[in-house]
């Protein structure tokens, strides 16, 4: 079965006309004879949208009851049974009511598409999942209902329903979107001109990128190699030289002249991975191009001009920006250069700009890779092989009576030259070639024992020998150096990859990073030093190893990080080529230090904020919740002491009962305050013992009316390891809270059960319940959910109960009660089981 086609109307904000456009398309298709049906459309009491539904077949919706309220959703089964050619589904980002076929409406649409039904739907730009953070930063509202970008991008057609912010605000003011009583609030909040303009730009850019994807896909499918200048794309060719910054800025200025211009900086590296470009300069240029809104690309190619042109054509670029060659005049004898070759081969559809700069005609000036650091022993063996080896070989050849011939003798000397190149590098091999040539001339070419050569053929042979020996020595040395460089670059890439990974993982241990530095460079100690100004002394912010340096001057190696920070290493002097990687470590150490300080400041700020919130809440509690029972007690005492009225015994008893109730309430409030203080200061020390729940839980119900709780605690429950006093207080607070929010006449169920190695105490009420996103907040100190009256307490009961439960190694969580309400679950550890004693059994049976 062929998959259905999806058409999406995308808008920048509610009210731009997405649903209206979708219904208009439905009418057009019906006029063409298409079987088009409405599965779900919300007209939101907008008259013009409601009128558009006339004449369209509306499928019945399914009804779902949730928490006592009946909701309607799209009936997917009805759509599949009806099987129209085209179905209309409004509000693609909608979240279905719990109990529906799918969680999200876009999942319903996916099911319809899989069944071969074409779907027309709509969505606002703020509901795309990837744009959630951007939209929140613009509007201040976090969208909870989102659709994955990939699902929207797979749509066969995406049509932008556009409207200027001014026109949308006029439509809003005329009451065409929201009801009149909501218009002023909407215009002053979400529908501000700045918000609408930013959302409109997001929608336009997103659709433009989608169109660009369609264009790229079409060009690829139809093998279109010519460049279509649908938008200005400017490719900047970089060499890693200092002129790259000038080229990037020039390309950015060119891009600004055309709407939607894009800058792509590209560096072409050789396939062998060995390059003379400065990594530091490339990093600076990458940062610059990204700051200017462009992108940086690293491609591999042995021939730069074709690689650059292939990249430009691959991204459908319209212009290439190159710098004037840094070659000197005599170097043009070897070829026309990259700029001239690119300009010649670019063709009529790709413009090439050659930009002058200060580095033109000054030579490459790039750092050249040095030879391999072979070590003294290896270089010594190279010299011995290159100098002593030919002498020994000459002695052996002159003592052999058999004549090997000049060609074989030259090959033996050539072998020594190659061996000296492998061991000691270029200089010993060149010395070996020169010495070998002299020895061959002296001992093996007539006239012997003279430097003159009688036969011209021998002159050619010796000359060719020297040239071949020198060439082979150069190639071998070059291969050895490149092998060393490749190994070094691999090690550096592994180190830099580790640093990049630590950044992505958010690792914040400065000591671990310094230890890595010390191990990587084989140092005795490493320290990160800092000072506040040039005249202040250095302070050590972190160090590893014995006797770390206290000043950069005292270290064997120091790497500055900005003006007032330095990484100091002690142990040995590093070669210059190692300082590049050390610089990366130093920069990462500074970042880690800044992150640690920011985290400490954020933690301290949270503590201050929490302290301020608790103090404010405590003042509010003292000012009202504690004064209320005091006022009641004061009134009762004043009435009893009054001589003007003679109270009856019943009246006096009522006053005394009020005084007792107020005193109990005060005692409860002050007890919770003291318990919360103990929990926050960490002074709660539970005394864990084996306890039976059916003995502790009933004692916790003394503060609630007898007929308000149903107790279901089985007697055969295992023992629990708890502090009986803390458990009683925790259960009492939870039960009192449940009774407080239960409807009149509804009783709270307190039950317990054993599950695996734990025991759960469940307190279930039939009250209003709490949404999932608020379940954790109700356990915070001084929190009262919803419209709880001021006299309902200070909001500490559940916070104290959770604190006591966790102090005993348990937990306290909130769940929904089936049928409505909330269930508090106290999870406790079972006591350790003891094997039953069997004194009546004989030892053999017991064993």
């Amino acid at each position: 079965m062929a998959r259905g086609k999806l058409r999406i109307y995308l808008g920048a904000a509610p009210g731009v006309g997405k649903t209206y456009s979708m219904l208009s398309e439905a009418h057009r298709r019906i006029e063409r004879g298409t079987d088009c049906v409405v599965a779900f459309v919300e007209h939101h009491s907008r008259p013009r949208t409601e009128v558009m539904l006339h004449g369209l077949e509306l499928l019945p919706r399914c009804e779902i009851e949730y928490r006592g309220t009946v909701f309607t959703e799209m009936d997917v089964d009805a759509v599949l049974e009806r099987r129209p050619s085209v179905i209309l589904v409004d509000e693609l980002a909608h979240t279905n009511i719990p109990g529906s076929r799918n969680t999200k409406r876009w999942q319903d649409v996916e099911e319809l598409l899989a069944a071969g039904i074409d779907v027309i739907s709509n969505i606002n730009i703020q509901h795309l999942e990837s744009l959630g953070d951007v939209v929140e930063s613009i509007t201040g509202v976090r969208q909870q209902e989102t659709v994955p970008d990939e699902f929207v991008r797979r749509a066969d057609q995406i049509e932008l329903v556009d409207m200027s912010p001014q026109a949308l605000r006029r439509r809003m003011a005329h009451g065409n979107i929201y009801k009149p009583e909501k218009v002023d609030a909407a215009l002053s909040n979400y529908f501000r001109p700045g918000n609408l303009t930013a959302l409109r730009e997001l929608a336009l850019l997103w659709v433009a990128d989608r169109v660009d994807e369609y264009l790229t896909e079409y060009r690829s499918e139809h093998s279109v190699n010519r460049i279509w200048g649908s938008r200005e794309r400017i490719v900047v060719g970089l060499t890693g030289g200092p002129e790259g910054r000038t080229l990037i800025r020039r390309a950015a200025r060119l891009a600004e002249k055309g709407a939607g211009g894009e800058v792509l900086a590209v560096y072409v590296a050789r396939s062998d991975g060995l390059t003379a470009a400065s990594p530091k300069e490339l990093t600076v240029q990458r940062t610059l191009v990204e700051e200017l809104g462009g992108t940086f690309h690293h491609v591999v190619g042995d021939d730069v001009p074709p690689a650059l042109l292939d990249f430009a054509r691959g991204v459908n670029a319209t212009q290439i920006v190159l710098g004037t060659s840094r070659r000197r005049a005599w170097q043009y004898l070897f070829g026309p250069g990259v700029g001239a070759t690119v300009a010649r081969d670019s063709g009529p559809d790709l413009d090439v700009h050659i930009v002058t700069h200060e580095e033109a005609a000054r030579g490459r000036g790039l750092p050249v890779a040095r030879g391999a650091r072979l070590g003294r022993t290896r270089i010594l063996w190279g010299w011995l092989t290159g100098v002593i080896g030919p002498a020994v070989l000459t002695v052996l050849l002159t003592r052999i009576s058999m004549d090997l011939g000049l060609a074989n003798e030259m090959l033996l000397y050539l072998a020594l030259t190659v061996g000296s190149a492998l061991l000691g590098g270029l200089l010993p091999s060149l010395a070996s070639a020169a010495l070998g040539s002299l020895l061959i001339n002296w001992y093996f070419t007539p006239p012997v024992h003279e430097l003159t050569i009688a036969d011209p053929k021998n002159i050619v042979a010796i000359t060719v020998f020297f040239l071949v020996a020198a060439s082979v020595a150069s190639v071998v040395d070059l291969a050895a150096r490149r092998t060393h460089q490749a190994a070094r670059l691999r090690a550096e890439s592994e180190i830099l990859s580790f640093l990049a990974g630590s950044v992505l993982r958010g690792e914040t241990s400065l000591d671990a990073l310094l230890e890595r530095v010390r191990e990587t460079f084989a140092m005795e100690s490493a320290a990160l030093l800092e000072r506040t100004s040039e005249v202040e002394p250095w302070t050590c912010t972190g160090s590893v190893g014995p006797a770390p340096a206290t000043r950069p001057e005292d270290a064997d190696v120091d790497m500055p990080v900005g003006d007032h920070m330095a990484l100091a290493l002690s142990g040995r002097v590093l070669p210059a080529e190692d300082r590049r990687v050390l610089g990366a470590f130093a920069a990462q150490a500074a970042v880690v230090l800044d992150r640690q300080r920011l985290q400490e400041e954020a933690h301290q700020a949270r503590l201050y904020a929490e302290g301020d919130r608790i103090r404010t809440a405590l003042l509010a509690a003292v000012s009202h919740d504690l004064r209320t029972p005091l006022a009641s007690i004061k009134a009762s005492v004043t009435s009893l002491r009054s001589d003007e009225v003679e109270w009856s015994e019943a009246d006096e008893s009522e006053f005394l009962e009020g005084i007792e109730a107020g005193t109990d309430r005060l005692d409860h409030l002050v007890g919770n305050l003291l318990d919360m203080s103990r929990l926050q200061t960490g002074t709660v020390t539970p005394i864990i013992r084996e306890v039976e729940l059916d003995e502790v839980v009933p004692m916790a119900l003394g503060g609630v009316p007898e007929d308000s709780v149903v107790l279901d605690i089985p007697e055969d429950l295992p023992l629990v390891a708890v502090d009986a006093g803390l458990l009683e207080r925790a259960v009492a607070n939870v039960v009192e809270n449940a009774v407080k929010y239960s409807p009149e006449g509804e009783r709270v169920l307190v039950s317990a059960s054993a599950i695996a190695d734990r025991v759960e105490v469940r307190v279930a009420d039939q009250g209003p319940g709490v949404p999932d996103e608020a379940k954790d907040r109700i356990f915070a100190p001084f929190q009262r959910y919803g419209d709880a009256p001021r006299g309902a307490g200070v909001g500490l009961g559940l916070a104290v109960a959770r604190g006591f439960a966790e102090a005993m190694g348990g937990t306290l969580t909130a769940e929904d009660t089936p049928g409505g309400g909330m269930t508090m679950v106290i999870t406790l550890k079972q006591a350790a089981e003891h094997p039953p004693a069997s004194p009546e059994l004989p030892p053999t049976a017991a064993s």
Side-chain angles (χ1 to χ4, degrees):
M1 180 184 298
R3 179 180 171 85
K5 296 184 180 299
L6 174 62
R7 178 178 183 137
I8 294 179
Y9 288 92
L10 177 68
V16 296
K18 302 181 300 299
T19 304
Y20 189 92
S21 299
M22 184 175 69
L23 295 173
S24 299
E25 176 65 18
H27 282 287
R28 285 193 294 271
R29 297 203 180 196
I30 290 177
E31 291 174 359
R32 296 196 299 264
T34 304
D35 184 14
C36 188
V37 176
V38 176
F40 192 97
V41 168
E42 286 285 359
H43 54 72
H44 298 291
S45 301
R46 297 169 187 169
R48 296 184 179 181
T49 305
E50 191 172 0
V51 168
M52 292 297 294
L53 286 170
H54 295 168
L56 299 178
E57 179 183 349
L58 305 180
L59 291 180
R61 303 180 183 181
C62 64
E63 295 184 350
I64 299 176
E65 183 177 354
Y66 180 68
R67 292 188 175 180
T69 304
V70 177
F71 299 90
T72 61
E73 293 287 359
M74 179 176 69
D75 193 339
V76 179
D77 291 328
V79 177
L80 294 175
E81 182 179 356
R82 172 66 173 76
R83 293 196 65 81
S85 299
V86 180
I87 195 75
L88 270 63
V89 181
D90 201 9
E91 298 180 354
L92 185 62
H94 172 74
T95 300
N96 295 329
I97 295 298
S100 301
R101 185 188 188 100
N102 295 300
T103 304
K104 298 286 187 177
R105 183 164 293 165
W106 66 265
Q107 295 172 330
D108 294 336
V109 171
E110 177 68 26
E111 190 171 345
L112 298 178
L113 293 172
I117 302 175
D118 295 346
V119 178
I120 302 177
S121 188
N122 56 49
I123 189 175
N124 284 323
I125 191 68
Q126 62 264 33
H127 293 298
L128 291 177
E129 192 169 298
S130 66
L131 299 178
D133 295 336
V134 179
V135 172
E136 183 180 11
S137 66
I138 294 172
T139 64
V141 178
R142 181 69 180 187
Q143 298 295 331
Q144 300 300 325
E145 295 183 328
T146 60
V147 177
D149 289 48
E150 180 59 27
F151 179 81
V152 180
R153 288 183 181 275
R154 290 204 312 265
D156 299 276
Q157 297 181 45
I158 299 177
E159 183 173 330
L160 178 65
V161 183
D162 189 31
M163 178 176 288
S164 68
Q166 295 77 13
L168 183 57
R169 284 173 59 84
R170 283 196 301 271
R171 179 179 289 186
M172 172 73 70
H174 293 161
N176 295 331
I177 301 176
Y178 292 155
K179 294 181 179 180
E181 60 270 17
K182 297 181 178 180
V183 170
D184 291 339
L187 290 175
S188 59
N189 291 284
Y190 193 89
F191 285 82
R192 294 195 301 269
N195 287 3
L196 296 178
T197 301
L199 292 173
R200 187 188 186 197
E201 182 180 10
L202 272 181
L204 290 170
L205 290 175
W206 195 91
V207 173
D209 287 341
R210 180 61 177 143
V211 172
D212 205 34
E213 291 177 8
Y214 278 134
L215 179 60
T216 302
E217 182 179 346
Y218 178 86
R219 294 178 74 244
S220 176
E221 290 178 354
H222 294 78
S223 301
V224 177
N225 295 321
R226 291 179 58 84
I227 292 175
W228 291 356
S230 54
R231 62 188 294 187
E232 290 293 339
R233 280 192 180 84
I234 303 173
V235 171
V236 186
L238 301 178
T239 64
E243 77 282 357
R245 307 180 202 181
T246 303
L247 304 182
I248 293 171
R249 294 189 182 98
R250 176 60 175 165
R253 291 195 298 271
L254 289 173
E256 290 174 357
K257 295 179 181 180
E262 184 179 356
V263 176
L264 300 92
V266 57
Y267 170 71
V268 181
R270 293 178 59 85
S271 59
D272 56 12
L274 302 176
T275 176
S278 168
K280 181 178 180 181
E281 184 63 31
L282 285 178
T283 302
V284 172
Q285 293 172 12
R286 176 194 290 269
T287 303
L288 176 61
V289 72
E290 290 175 351
E291 289 176 350
L292 294 175
T295 55
F296 185 92
H297 304 268
H298 194 127
V299 300
V300 176
D302 291 326
D303 198 355
V304 175
L308 190 59
L309 289 171
D310 289 343
F311 175 83
R313 293 191 175 99
V315 298
N316 201 27
T318 57
Q319 303 179 57
I320 294 180
V321 175
L322 299 173
T324 305
S325 178
R326 286 180 286 142
R327 288 181 169 192
R328 300 189 186 275
W330 61 268
Q331 291 178 306
Y332 283 98
L333 297 174
F334 300 100
V338 173
T341 305
V342 170
R344 182 191 64 201
D345 299 338
S346 60
D349 51 358
L350 188 57
D351 299 334
V352 179
H353 301 265
I354 305 296
V355 180
T356 60
H357 51 84
E358 295 179 352
E359 304 297 325
R362 292 189 177 182
R364 302 288 303 174
L366 295 175
V368 179
R370 296 184 176 181
R373 296 167 58 223
L374 302 175
R376 293 183 179 181
T377 303
R378 187 167 173 178
I379 292 176
L380 178 60
W381 277 105
W383 281 105
L384 291 175
T385 304
V387 177
I388 305 299
V392 174
L393 179 60
T394 302
V395 173
L396 294 176
L397 291 177
T398 54
R399 296 302 181 104
I400 297 176
S401 59
M402 182 176 59
D403 184 11
L404 297 178
L406 184 61
N408 291 328
E409 292 165 349
M410 286 184 175
L411 288 176
L412 292 174
Y413 282 100
L414 182 60
L416 290 174
T417 302
V418 173
S420 61
L422 288 173
L423 291 173
L426 182 61
L427 291 180
S429 61
L430 291 178
S432 177
L435 181 58
S437 301
L438 292 175
L439 292 174
I440 290 172
N441 183 12
W442 184 267
Y443 286 101
F444 303 106
T445 58
V448 295
H449 303 145
E450 293 183 13
L451 293 178
T452 59
I453 301 175
D455 190 351
K457 295 180 180 180
N458 293 336
I459 298 177
V460 175
I462 293 178
T463 303
V464 170
F465 166 79
F466 178 79
L467 294 177
V468 170
S471 300
V472 171
S474 300
V475 171
V476 172
D477 177 70
L478 179 61
R481 286 193 292 112
R482 289 195 172 184
T483 301
H484 173 79
Q485 290 168 349
R488 181 176 187 82
L489 289 173
R490 178 180 177 182
E492 289 185 3
S493 66
E494 290 177 354
I495 294 172
L496 295 177
S497 175
F498 162 77
L499 290 177
S502 65
V503 174
L504 295 176
R505 292 189 298 270
E507 296 177 356
T508 56
S509 174
L510 181 60
D511 290 341
L513 182 63
L514 293 177
E515 182 63 30
R516 179 70 181 230
V517 173
R518 190 175 72 88
E519 293 178 357
T520 300
F521 298 102
M523 292 291 179
E524 294 179 359
S525 64
L528 186 63
L529 307 178
E530 186 182 28
R531 61 181 178 181
T532 56
S533 65
E534 297 292 340
V535 297
E536 294 294 327
W538 291 93
T539 58
C540 181
T541 58
S543 64
V544 293
T550 57
R551 297 184 309 165
E553 302 84 44
D554 300 335
D556 294 312
V557 181
D558 70 284
M559 175 59 67
V561 187
D563 296 331
H564 305 298
M565 191 177 294
L567 181 62
L569 307 180
S570 300
R572 66 186 182 91
V573 178
L574 282 182
E577 56 264 29
D578 285 343
R579 293 185 65 85
R580 180 177 61 186
V581 178
L582 181 61
F585 270 111
Q588 176 66 7
V591 170
V592 169
L593 180 62
D594 290 340
R595 186 184 294 121
Q596 283 184 346
R597 290 175 174 173
L598 288 174
Q599 288 177 343
E600 292 173 359
E601 292 175 1
H603 177 68
Q604 197 66 32
R606 285 194 297 269
L607 292 179
Y608 288 149
E610 181 67 15
D612 290 340
R613 190 184 67 80
I614 291 178
R615 280 193 293 270
T616 302
L618 180 59
L619 289 175
V622 171
S623 64
H624 187 282
D625 295 289
L626 294 181
R627 290 180 60 184
T628 300
L630 283 176
S632 175
I633 295 172
K634 174 67 175 176
S636 298
V637 171
T638 301
S639 299
L640 287 174
R641 295 190 60 186
S642 175
D643 297 331
E644 299 178 357
V645 181
E646 184 175 351
W647 305 104
S648 65
E649 291 185 3
D651 292 333
E652 291 180 355
S653 176
E654 183 177 353
F655 284 135
L656 291 174
E657 186 176 339
I659 293 173
E660 184 179 11
T663 305
D664 291 340
R665 184 176 172 190
L666 270 180
D667 179 67
H668 180 73
L669 293 175
V670 173
N672 276 338
L673 287 172
L674 293 176
D675 290 339
M676 196 70 240
S677 175
R678 291 166 57 204
L679 288 170
Q680 290 184 337
T681 56
T683 57
V684 175
T685 306
I687 302 174
I688 304 299
R689 292 191 176 91
E690 296 181 359
V691 176
E692 293 185 0
L693 280 180
D694 58 353
E695 296 180 357
V696 177
V697 174
M699 298 174 60
L701 308 182
V704 296
E706 293 182 2
D707 59 346
S708 62
V709 177
V710 176
L711 192 61
D712 181 15
I713 307 294
E715 295 182 357
D716 57 349
L717 282 177
L719 300 178
V720 291
V722 296
D723 183 311
L726 296 184
L727 177 60
E728 180 184 344
R729 291 294 303 275
V731 174
N733 283 356
V734 172
V735 172
E736 290 176 9
N737 184 79
V739 171
K740 184 190 308 178
Y741 287 98
S742 291
E744 186 175 356
E746 295 288 345
R747 304 172 71 183
V748 174
L749 174 63
V750 180
S751 60
S753 59
I755 301 176
D757 60 345
R758 64 186 187 276
V759 175
E760 289 185 352
V761 179
R762 307 178 72 88
V763 180
D765 64 59
Q766 302 296 323
V770 176
D772 291 339
E773 61 271 13
K775 282 186 171 62
D776 283 337
R777 293 201 301 270
I778 61 176
F779 293 103
F782 302 104
Q783 291 290 324
R784 287 179 296 189
Y785 180 73
D787 55 353
R790 290 292 300 174
V794 296
L796 283 176
L798 294 181
V800 171
R802 171 174 274 190
F804 283 168
E806 292 177 350
M808 295 182 293
T811 60
L812 174 60
T813 57
E815 299 177 356
D816 292 332
T817 300
M822 186 169 63
T823 299
M824 292 291 178
V825 182
I826 303 176
T827 304
L828 306 170
K829 293 182 179 179
Q830 287 189 20
E833 296 183 359
H834 298 285
S838 303
E840 69 280 3
L841 296 178
T844 56
S847 61

